[in-house]
Amino acid sequence: MEWHGTDAQSLAIIDREIGAHTFSPAEYEIVRRVIYATADFEYQKLIRFSERALQAGAAALAARTTIVVDVPMVQVGITPHIQETFANPVYCSMEAITRPQKEKTKAAWGIQTLARRYPEGIFVVGQAQTALTALVELIEAEEIRPALVIGTPSGFVEVDVAKSRLEDSLVPHIRIEGRKGSSVVAAAIVNGLVDLAWQAYGQDSSSVS
């Protein structure tokens, strides 16, 4: 992703205000990207990385693993950068052809359908807590084994439970603790991870066709 002069000034402000921290260099790139996108420094305390989440996610991106997202806003936020780099397929749960069910939201039913189709995909849930719950249920039932899950939905009802279950799932993941989160946060995490992966794998990947 190309950064401009004003971006550099903003990143310098972020670096100055965060100061000393315990993130790895790669984790910090994701953290500052989220703060840059939201202007909310609280995310420094809320973002969580499972063990080897960034390594697993970068390798999956380089392998052109399918990406499944919960809402169009995430899809719109990440697709241009994906197309400029690894060109992974990106599918949205809201566009999945499914049979409506009264007990599930469209996002939950759609992500469940796509998860069964791409059980080892990269899953990005930026907005719909119900989609994250549906995804975790499939992981717990050992129906799917995602390469990476990014879970950042906001909410007041059951969102903490869904995020806690994601933590307990042992799959590589990046999540936002508590009630906060958004599609903007999810897209910022993905785009930051794409940049890290492109630095590590881009030259080799671009020669593969």
Side-chain angles (χ1 to χ4, degrees):
M1 182 174 289
E2 186 178 354
W3 297 95
H4 301 286
T6 54
D7 300 320
Q9 290 178 323
S10 296
L11 293 174
I13 292 170
I14 292 170
D15 292 341
R16 185 168 63 249
E17 293 200 24
I18 287 182
H21 59 81
T22 59
F23 296 108
S24 71
E27 289 173 344
Y28 184 62
E29 285 304 308
I30 302 294
V31 172
R32 74 205 293 244
R33 188 70 68 94
V34 169
I35 294 172
Y36 177 82
T38 62
D40 188 342
F41 282 85
E42 190 176 359
Y43 282 111
Q44 176 190 0
K45 300 177 182 178
L46 299 178
I47 193 165
R48 299 287 186 273
F49 301 89
S50 74
E51 186 176 359
R52 295 190 59 79
L54 296 183
Q55 296 93 324
L61 285 168
R64 293 185 169 87
T65 300
T66 295
I67 301 171
V68 176
V69 306
D70 63 330
V71 292
M73 187 172 178
V74 176
Q75 187 175 29
V76 169
I78 69 173
T79 297
H81 202 33
I82 292 290
Q83 289 177 338
E84 292 170 355
T85 53
F86 298 106
N88 306 63
V90 181
Y91 298 110
C92 180
S93 70
M94 301 294 284
E95 297 171 358
I97 299 175
T98 61
R99 292 173 298 170
Q101 285 194 343
K102 291 182 180 179
E103 67 272 19
K104 288 187 184 292
T105 65
K106 185 174 182 180
W109 187 234
I111 210 160
Q112 186 180 77
T113 300
L114 291 172
R116 287 181 170 137
R117 194 175 302 165
Y118 306 104
E120 297 180 353
I122 298 169
F123 294 88
V124 186
V125 182
Q127 179 174 310
Q129 171 266 316
T130 55
L132 183 59
T133 298
L135 193 63
V136 171
E137 287 173 352
L138 292 177
I139 295 170
E140 292 172 345
E142 299 184 352
E143 291 189 43
I144 64 172
R145 186 69 181 179
L148 177 71
V149 176
I150 296 172
T152 69
S154 63
F156 296 96
V157 180
E158 299 294 328
V159 71
D160 285 345
V161 175
K163 291 176 178 178
S164 178
R165 289 170 70 182
L166 176 60
E167 179 183 7
D168 293 340
S169 71
L170 301 181
V171 300
H173 70 271
I174 304 170
R175 70 186 191 278
I176 299 297
E177 290 281 81
R179 295 173 171 177
K180 277 194 170 183
S182 70
S183 297
V184 171
V185 173
I189 292 172
V190 174
N191 288 329
L193 183 56
V194 169
D195 281 346
L196 291 171
W198 193 247
Q199 291 170 17
Y201 296 103
Q203 185 173 356
D204 292 337
S205 177
S206 62
S207 65
V208 177
S209 61

Short mmCIF file of all heavy atoms in Angstrom, two decimals, residues 67-90:
data_model
loop_
_atom_site.label_atom_id
_atom_site.label_comp_id
_atom_site.label_asym_id
_atom_site.label_seq_id
_atom_site.Cartn_x
_atom_site.Cartn_y
_atom_site.Cartn_z
N ILE A 67 -10.58 -16.07 0.58
CA ILE A 67 -10.97 -15.21 1.70
C ILE A 67 -12.49 -15.09 1.73
O ILE A 67 -13.11 -14.79 0.70
CB ILE A 67 -10.33 -13.82 1.58
CG1 ILE A 67 -8.80 -13.92 1.52
CG2 ILE A 67 -10.78 -12.92 2.73
CD1 ILE A 67 -8.12 -12.61 1.18
N VAL A 68 -13.08 -15.33 2.89
CA VAL A 68 -14.52 -15.21 3.08
C VAL A 68 -14.77 -14.10 4.10
O VAL A 68 -14.21 -14.13 5.20
CB VAL A 68 -15.15 -16.53 3.57
CG1 VAL A 68 -16.65 -16.33 3.85
CG2 VAL A 68 -14.93 -17.64 2.55
N VAL A 69 -15.60 -13.12 3.74
CA VAL A 69 -15.91 -12.00 4.64
C VAL A 69 -17.41 -12.00 4.96
O VAL A 69 -18.21 -12.62 4.26
CB VAL A 69 -15.50 -10.65 4.02
CG1 VAL A 69 -14.04 -10.69 3.61
CG2 VAL A 69 -16.37 -10.30 2.82
N ASP A 70 -17.76 -11.28 6.03
CA ASP A 70 -19.17 -11.33 6.46
C ASP A 70 -20.04 -10.28 5.77
O ASP A 70 -21.22 -10.53 5.53
CB ASP A 70 -19.28 -11.20 7.99
CG ASP A 70 -18.76 -9.88 8.53
OD1 ASP A 70 -17.83 -9.30 7.91
OD2 ASP A 70 -19.25 -9.42 9.58
N VAL A 71 -19.49 -9.11 5.47
CA VAL A 71 -20.32 -8.03 4.92
C VAL A 71 -19.61 -7.34 3.76
O VAL A 71 -18.38 -7.35 3.66
CB VAL A 71 -20.67 -6.98 6.01
CG1 VAL A 71 -21.58 -7.58 7.07
CG2 VAL A 71 -19.40 -6.42 6.65
N PRO A 72 -20.38 -6.69 2.88
CA PRO A 72 -19.78 -6.03 1.71
C PRO A 72 -18.76 -4.95 2.06
O PRO A 72 -17.81 -4.74 1.31
CB PRO A 72 -21.00 -5.42 1.00
CG PRO A 72 -22.14 -6.30 1.39
CD PRO A 72 -21.87 -6.70 2.81
N MET A 73 -18.92 -4.27 3.20
CA MET A 73 -17.99 -3.20 3.55
C MET A 73 -16.57 -3.74 3.72
O MET A 73 -15.60 -3.08 3.35
CB MET A 73 -18.44 -2.48 4.81
CG MET A 73 -17.63 -1.25 5.14
SD MET A 73 -18.34 -0.31 6.50
CE MET A 73 -17.12 0.99 6.66
N VAL A 74 -16.45 -4.93 4.28
CA VAL A 74 -15.12 -5.54 4.42
C VAL A 74 -14.59 -5.92 3.03
O VAL A 74 -13.43 -5.67 2.71
CB VAL A 74 -15.17 -6.78 5.33
CG1 VAL A 74 -13.80 -7.46 5.37
CG2 VAL A 74 -15.62 -6.41 6.73
N GLN A 75 -15.46 -6.49 2.22
CA GLN A 75 -15.05 -6.89 0.87
C GLN A 75 -14.54 -5.70 0.07
O GLN A 75 -13.48 -5.76 -0.56
CB GLN A 75 -16.23 -7.55 0.16
CG GLN A 75 -15.88 -8.16 -1.20
CD GLN A 75 -17.06 -8.91 -1.80
OE1 GLN A 75 -18.22 -8.57 -1.53
NE2 GLN A 75 -16.79 -9.93 -2.59
N VAL A 76 -15.28 -4.60 0.12
CA VAL A 76 -14.88 -3.39 -0.61
C VAL A 76 -13.57 -2.84 -0.05
O VAL A 76 -12.72 -2.33 -0.79
CB VAL A 76 -15.99 -2.32 -0.51
CG1 VAL A 76 -15.51 -0.97 -1.02
CG2 VAL A 76 -17.22 -2.77 -1.30
N GLY A 77 -13.38 -2.96 1.26
CA GLY A 77 -12.19 -2.41 1.90
C GLY A 77 -10.91 -3.16 1.62
O GLY A 77 -9.82 -2.58 1.72
N ILE A 78 -11.01 -4.45 1.27
CA ILE A 78 -9.80 -5.24 1.09
C ILE A 78 -9.54 -5.66 -0.37
O ILE A 78 -8.40 -5.92 -0.73
CB ILE A 78 -9.80 -6.50 1.97
CG1 ILE A 78 -10.86 -7.52 1.50
CG2 ILE A 78 -10.01 -6.14 3.43
CD1 ILE A 78 -10.80 -8.85 2.24
N THR A 79 -10.57 -5.73 -1.18
CA THR A 79 -10.41 -6.29 -2.52
C THR A 79 -9.41 -5.54 -3.40
O THR A 79 -8.60 -6.18 -4.07
CB THR A 79 -11.78 -6.38 -3.22
OG1 THR A 79 -12.62 -7.28 -2.49
CG2 THR A 79 -11.62 -6.91 -4.64
N PRO A 80 -9.39 -4.20 -3.43
CA PRO A 80 -8.40 -3.52 -4.28
C PRO A 80 -6.97 -3.91 -3.94
O PRO A 80 -6.16 -4.16 -4.85
CB PRO A 80 -8.67 -2.03 -4.01
CG PRO A 80 -10.11 -1.99 -3.62
CD PRO A 80 -10.34 -3.23 -2.82
N HIS A 81 -6.64 -3.96 -2.66
CA HIS A 81 -5.28 -4.30 -2.25
C HIS A 81 -4.97 -5.77 -2.54
O HIS A 81 -3.85 -6.10 -2.94
CB HIS A 81 -5.09 -3.99 -0.77
CG HIS A 81 -3.65 -3.79 -0.39
ND1 HIS A 81 -2.72 -3.23 -1.22
CD2 HIS A 81 -2.99 -4.09 0.75
CE1 HIS A 81 -1.55 -3.19 -0.62
NE2 HIS A 81 -1.68 -3.72 0.57
N ILE A 82 -5.96 -6.63 -2.35
CA ILE A 82 -5.78 -8.05 -2.67
C ILE A 82 -5.50 -8.21 -4.17
O ILE A 82 -4.61 -8.96 -4.59
CB ILE A 82 -7.03 -8.86 -2.27
CG1 ILE A 82 -7.19 -8.90 -0.74
CG2 ILE A 82 -6.97 -10.28 -2.84
CD1 ILE A 82 -6.15 -9.73 -0.03
N GLN A 83 -6.25 -7.50 -4.99
CA GLN A 83 -6.09 -7.61 -6.44
C GLN A 83 -4.72 -7.12 -6.90
O GLN A 83 -4.17 -7.61 -7.89
CB GLN A 83 -7.20 -6.84 -7.15
CG GLN A 83 -8.57 -7.49 -7.02
CD GLN A 83 -9.67 -6.66 -7.66
OE1 GLN A 83 -9.53 -5.46 -7.85
NE2 GLN A 83 -10.79 -7.30 -7.96
N GLU A 84 -4.16 -6.15 -6.19
CA GLU A 84 -2.85 -5.61 -6.56
C GLU A 84 -1.71 -6.52 -6.12
O GLU A 84 -0.57 -6.31 -6.54
CB GLU A 84 -2.66 -4.23 -5.90
CG GLU A 84 -3.58 -3.15 -6.44
CD GLU A 84 -3.52 -1.89 -5.60
OE1 GLU A 84 -2.83 -1.91 -4.54
OE2 GLU A 84 -4.17 -0.90 -5.97
N THR A 85 -2.00 -7.50 -5.29
CA THR A 85 -0.94 -8.33 -4.72
C THR A 85 -1.15 -9.81 -5.07
O THR A 85 -0.84 -10.25 -6.16
CB THR A 85 -0.84 -8.11 -3.20
OG1 THR A 85 -2.15 -8.30 -2.61
CG2 THR A 85 -0.33 -6.71 -2.89
N PHE A 86 -1.74 -10.57 -4.14
CA PHE A 86 -1.84 -12.01 -4.32
C PHE A 86 -3.05 -12.47 -5.13
O PHE A 86 -3.10 -13.62 -5.57
CB PHE A 86 -1.87 -12.71 -2.95
CG PHE A 86 -0.63 -12.48 -2.14
CD1 PHE A 86 -0.65 -11.62 -1.05
CD2 PHE A 86 0.57 -13.10 -2.46
CE1 PHE A 86 0.49 -11.39 -0.29
CE2 PHE A 86 1.71 -12.89 -1.71
CZ PHE A 86 1.67 -12.03 -0.62
N ALA A 87 -4.02 -11.59 -5.31
CA ALA A 87 -5.23 -11.90 -6.11
C ALA A 87 -6.02 -13.09 -5.56
O ALA A 87 -6.57 -13.88 -6.33
CB ALA A 87 -4.86 -12.14 -7.57
N ASN A 88 -6.10 -13.19 -4.24
CA ASN A 88 -6.93 -14.24 -3.65
C ASN A 88 -8.39 -14.01 -4.01
O ASN A 88 -8.85 -12.87 -4.07
CB ASN A 88 -6.82 -14.22 -2.12
CG ASN A 88 -5.39 -14.30 -1.63
OD1 ASN A 88 -4.60 -13.41 -1.89
ND2 ASN A 88 -5.07 -15.35 -0.90
N PRO A 89 -9.17 -15.08 -4.22
CA PRO A 89 -10.62 -14.91 -4.37
C PRO A 89 -11.21 -14.37 -3.06
O PRO A 89 -10.78 -14.78 -1.98
CB PRO A 89 -11.12 -16.34 -4.64
CG PRO A 89 -9.92 -17.12 -5.04
CD PRO A 89 -8.76 -16.49 -4.35
N VAL A 90 -12.16 -13.45 -3.16
CA VAL A 90 -12.82 -12.88 -1.98
C VAL A 90 -14.32 -13.04 -2.15
O VAL A 90 -14.90 -12.51 -3.10
CB VAL A 90 -12.47 -11.39 -1.78
CG1 VAL A 90 -13.15 -10.85 -0.53
CG2 VAL A 90 -10.95 -11.18 -1.70
#
